[in-house]
Structure formats: C-alpha cells, structure tokens
Amino acid sequence: MANWWTRGVAAAAAGCLLTAGAGAQTGTQGAASGSASGGVSGSGSGSASSASSPLSRLFGGGDRVANAPVDLVFRVTDNDAALARKLRQTSLLTGALAEGRSSGQDMLAAARADYSRLLGTLFDEGRYDAVIDIRLDGVEAAGIAPLDAPRFVHQVVVTVDPGSPFHYTRAEIAPVAPGTALPSGYRRGEVARTSDMKSAARAGVTGWREQGHAKADVASTDIIADHEAHSVESRIALTPGPLVRFGQLAASGNKRLSTRRLLKIAGFPEGQRYDPDKLEEVRKRLRRSGIFSAITLEEAPVLGPGDALDVKLTVIEQKLRRIGGGFEISSVDGAAVSGYWLHRNLLGGGERLRVDAEVKDMGSGTSGRDYKLGIRLDRPATIHPDVTGFVDARTERLREEDYDLDLGVLGVGLSWMPNDRVLGETRLEYRRSRVVDDAGTEDFTVLALPASLTLDRRKDETTDPRRGYWLAATATPFLGLGDTGSGLRMVGEGRAYRSFGAAERFTLAGRARAGSILGSDLARTPRDYLFYSGGGGSVRGQPYESLGAQVIQGPDGPVKTGGMSVANVTGELRMQVREKIGIVAFADAGEVWTDSGFGGDTDWHAGAGLGVRYKTPIGPIRLDIAGPVAGDTGEGVQFYLGLGQAF
C-alpha cells in the first residue's frame, strides 16, 4: 500500500513542494512575513522557572527545550496556535534540542530534514500550498551545504505560511466490503487531510481482509489538487482478491520447545476461512505462554492450491528462568515482602513451574509474622489451545492478632482464557487447616471445587487504569470432612474507572465487593473462609482484619472470628498534577454480618485519607495516609506504601 500512496499523492503534493521550495529560497521575505504576523513563538532561552528546573525533570512537565543553548522560535502567519503547537511538537529541531544535541551540524541536519517533516504535518491538516522558511542565525537552512555547517547556532527561526485548507470536491473509494467503517473525514466538503485518505484506504483493505479476502489491496489511486480552487479530488480503487482459507503453519526458531507442542499451543486454524483476528489469536496464545521474547507471523506472498494461505511462524525463546519480587509497607501491619522463581519450559513442552514465597507483618505491632509458600506447574494447551491445566500446592502459617492458622492446600484444575479480557478457572482442592484462638484448637478439612470468572475491560495498563471496568465472581462449594461443615462460599467484586477533564487528568475510581457463605454455620466453617474487613486491601485507616464477628463462646467470653457475610465499598478521586506526580483522595467502608445472606448481627467501619502517586515504568509507587472516620476498630493515622494503584 505504500507504493500507491507515494504515486497517488504526488499530484497533490507537487504544487505544495514547489511552493515550499520557492518560499524557502525567498529568504528575508519569508522571514519578514512571518515576523510581521506576530505568529506564535516559543523561545528555548530565557529565565529559569519551576517548569525548567532540575525538579521538573524528576516530576515531569515543563518545556522540553527551555534551557537549551539555542533559541528556537516558531511563527505561523495565520496565528493558528493549535497548528503552531503541532508543528513545534513534531519538529526534528525540537527533538534534537530536547535530547541535548545543539551543535551547528545537529541544527543544520535537523533543519534540512524539517522541511519535509513539517510539510507532512501540514498535509495532514489539508494545507497543500504552504511556505516554510527555516533560518539559522538569519541564513536560510536550505541554502547551506551539509559540509558548510556553522560551528555554533544561536537562534533558529521557523516561519510557516500554512495557506488555506483544501476541501474534498470528490472522495470516493470502491468496492467496499459490507460493514466497512470509513473515516468520517473522508467525504465531500471535509478538509482534505492526507491522513484521512490513508485511513480510508487502510479501512477499505481491512474490511475485505475481515471478510476472508487476505490479498485485498489498493489497485489504483487518482488524487488531483486544484491550487486555485483549494480543492482535492480523490478516487481510490480496491481489488478484493479471492476468498482465502488458512493453509499450513510452518514454525521455526524454537530450540528447547518441541515443534509439536509449539503448534499445539499456537492453535493455528488450518483449513478455516481466513480471518485476521484468528491470526492475532495465535499470536496472543503464544505470547501468553510466556516462553517467547519475540513472535513473528508472516503470511505467504502468494496463495497456494485452492486459494490456501500458508503462514510462517518464527519465534525467539526467552531465558528459561526468571526471578521477581514486590513489597508493601504499613505503619501498623509492618512490611510485606514477596518473591518468586519461574522456569518457563520445565519438561520441553512449555510447562511453567513457579515457586512463590511471602513474608508479611514484619515489625507489626498487632500480630506475629506470617509466612506463605506455594508451588504451581502449568501446562498450556491442555485439551484445547485456550485451556491450561495445572497442579499446585501451598502452605501458610499466619499469626494474627486474634488467632493462629496453619494451612495446607493441594489442588488440580483448568484455566480457560479465550481472549485477553476473559479468564475462567476451576479446580478441585483438598484443604486442611488448624486454628488456635481463645476458644481452643480446632482442625478443619474440606474438599472444595472453586470456580471463578473474570472480565477485564480496563482500557489502560492494569497498574494504573483510567477507563473501563473489571468484574470477578467466585463460587466455592465445599464438602466438610469430620466435624467440618459443608456449604457454598460466594464472592463478587466490581471495579469501575472514568477519566475526565483536560488530558483526562482526573479519574473517578470505585470498587465494591460482597460475599456470603451459605449452608454452614459459623463455628464449623473453616476460619480462612470467613470474612473480615480492615487494612490496605479493604478499608484503609482501619487495622488489618479489625472488623469481624463475635459468635463463638470461649472461656473468657465471645471469641473474635470472621463473619459469614461481608460488603466493602471504596471511592477514589485521582488527579494527575504533573507528568509523573498524582494525588488521590479516597474513602473506604466495610460491613460484616454474623449470618449467611447478610443477616444477623452486624457492624461497620470506615476510613478516609489522601495519597501520592509517582509514576514509574513498572507502575505508580503508592503512598497512602489514612485514618478511621467511623466505627470503633481503630484509631490514629496509618501509612501504606506499595506499587500500583490500590485497585
């Protein structure tokens, strides 16, 4: 498609290129007209300010070339401030100064390249008779030979006369596949932007490819610009090509992973009608396996017998092993440190072995230290390319304020991920735990069959979402062995995000969670199944698991445990104040019930506070300060430090 565009736009560009060249050679006249207009200018020199201080580089924001040794000035003769900003942002001169490249040779090279660079930006605005003048200390850049570059440049003045925008008198593209969405700007009467022409051509080809015509392409273009009438006639002809089906997948590049397993994980739809989305699904399955650092899918240049399209797959495997970790700090609960070790291809078939370890409540003033250790083996493409089989085992040793818990879990299950938005999982697990509290020592043993479903419609990175929503539901039927009760544990959670304001600087975020246990009474329910509220994961400003229920009688009165039902809500207002700095105001609340179905005795508490976020490449560093605003489960201010938003 690149070739058709180069040929097609030539007629429209010829007049503009000649005009721009003439303007560049006019020298003083072009600069004078730009200066006379007043324009929109920006200087790279000047007094230092907070926007250009060393702290601005740490916190983001500020003029990228504010302290550059070269004074860079942009002038647009029609006083179009938005166009002037766009030209300045796309300019190679701006980029060079932002990167600290300010020698005379750097300035000349950037200036000479900026003629075509800025011209492309003007084309995208429908300006085809623009005049561009770039001067280095008063000398036209186009007239300076590359070997005659000045040693130093003190000032660069870019003057642009954008001319009047051109409009479509004809905007045609045919034939178009049913359901193709063409850009709204590609129609008669609209500004004739080159970006809309290219988008229309891409949309037309994509529409046919989505209908199974893998070799659809642009057959010809006819683009005519009338510089007197400031109009453009555009005709784009498409050739759909034959209806195509998938041929064979040829794989290469795998060294430790067997080819048989590679093809199984890919799930290539051989023999099916061509669909680019199915080819993308192959790419995503391979990426989700975690085995590869690079994945390339290349369609054959010509069709095979029966209009079959073969595809070549080339992969590069990642290093076999990986380690990682995380941390979180609370002023009351102490520090938590976690780490993992991962092997990506344990047995040569893509089996992933992961060992996780965590130590919590280090330095806590209310409880002892907690330990967790888990191991899990995943086998992708079990039963189906989108299904992963797994076995896992974990053990926990918790020393909380009101109880001690020792837990062991063995499980086997399947996870299903048909796309990047949906994840389902079910497992059969054996759980055995021992609890020691004021009521004495009690053992719990269950066979459980938890099943969960997650829908992730967040629009941004998961560590700092700004738009969309996230929903999760888990149902866990459990069969008690011995004196342990049997029942059904259900939990649902939803999160929603909405951004608004200039550059979406403000984000409203909300979270709601509810759960209940049916069919079992509290005393015979495993303690780790019961619900608590309080702490960084539920109600900030309240101590961890500080709200529960007091139903079981001990020798000295009721013993505090978790409840049979819970509800939590959280609201946050996030504001991005600088490129890397954000502040957050939040309020959390939680309520616990003693009976199933949100019945029986109940109590609630709430907390509120403020937080600071510092953006990093791996997610924002989070510091929250909160205190209790309702309930009697906590007092004083608490601090929370972690990585990523609270939810």
Side-chain angles (χ1 to χ4, degrees), residues 34-321:
S35 177
S37 71
V40 177
S41 65
S43 175
S45 60
S47 60
S49 66
S50 60
S52 58
S53 68
L55 288 178
S56 70
R57 291 191 292 272
L58 177 64
F59 298 136
D63 190 341
R64 294 193 299 161
V65 297
N67 289 326
V70 179
D71 183 20
L72 177 61
V73 179
F74 271 78
R75 295 176 179 149
V76 178
T77 58
D78 66 353
N79 295 320
D80 189 332
L83 179 59
R85 282 194 299 271
K86 183 173 291 187
L87 291 169
R88 185 180 178 90
Q89 289 169 358
T90 59
S91 168
L92 295 173
L93 286 162
T94 302
L97 292 176
E99 295 171 2
R101 297 184 287 110
S102 58
S103 69
Q105 186 66 55
D106 290 328
M107 290 296 95
L108 178 60
R112 290 176 66 90
D114 253 350
Y115 286 108
S116 58
R117 176 88 165 198
L118 299 179
L119 203 59
T121 301
L122 291 162
F123 283 6
D124 280 344
E125 296 297 316
R127 311 291 184 117
Y128 296 100
D129 58 358
V131 179
I132 301 173
D133 183 272
I134 303 176
R135 294 184 168 272
L136 310 182
D137 289 334
V139 180
E140 176 63 45
I144 304 175
L147 297 180
D148 294 333
R151 186 175 180 183
F152 301 107
V153 175
H154 298 91
Q155 185 183 60
V156 179
V157 178
V158 181
T159 304
V160 178
D161 180 359
S164 301
F166 284 50
H167 292 77
Y168 288 117
T169 53
R170 187 188 300 271
E172 299 175 354
I173 180 170
V176 177
T180 301
L182 296 174
S184 59
Y186 188 71
R187 59 184 177 183
R188 184 175 180 178
E190 296 292 332
V191 175
R193 296 180 171 89
T194 56
S195 56
D196 288 331
M197 298 182 210
K198 289 184 280 189
S199 296
R202 282 195 297 266
V205 171
T206 299
W208 282 115
R209 283 173 58 84
E210 290 176 347
Q211 297 291 327
H213 297 261
K215 295 303 180 181
D217 204 350
V218 175
S220 64
T221 61
D222 185 12
I223 303 172
I224 302 174
D226 186 333
H227 286 262
E228 293 185 359
H230 288 86
S231 64
V232 169
E233 293 185 3
S234 173
R235 299 180 182 88
I236 302 173
L238 304 177
T239 174
L243 189 64
V244 173
R245 61 181 178 84
F246 283 112
Q248 295 183 335
L249 179 68
S252 63
N254 53 305
K255 297 179 180 179
R256 295 178 290 265
L257 178 68
S258 70
T259 300
R260 181 185 66 84
R261 286 291 297 156
L262 172 58
L263 298 178
K264 180 71 172 178
I265 294 170
F268 185 72
E270 183 175 341
Q272 298 183 24
R273 194 192 79 175
Y274 174 85
D275 186 340
D277 290 339
K278 292 183 179 179
L279 206 57
E280 184 61 24
E281 289 175 6
V282 170
R283 190 191 315 275
K284 290 180 178 179
R285 290 191 193 105
L286 294 169
R287 188 184 70 240
R288 287 198 297 262
S289 72
I291 302 171
F292 310 106
S293 60
I295 302 164
T296 302
L297 287 166
E298 183 180 356
E299 298 179 6
V302 296
L303 299 177
D307 292 329
L309 178 67
D310 294 334
V311 176
K312 179 181 178 181
L313 167 64
T314 305
V315 298
I316 299 177
E317 296 179 354
Q318 296 200 68
K319 294 180 179 180
L320 284 176
R321 298 168 184 84

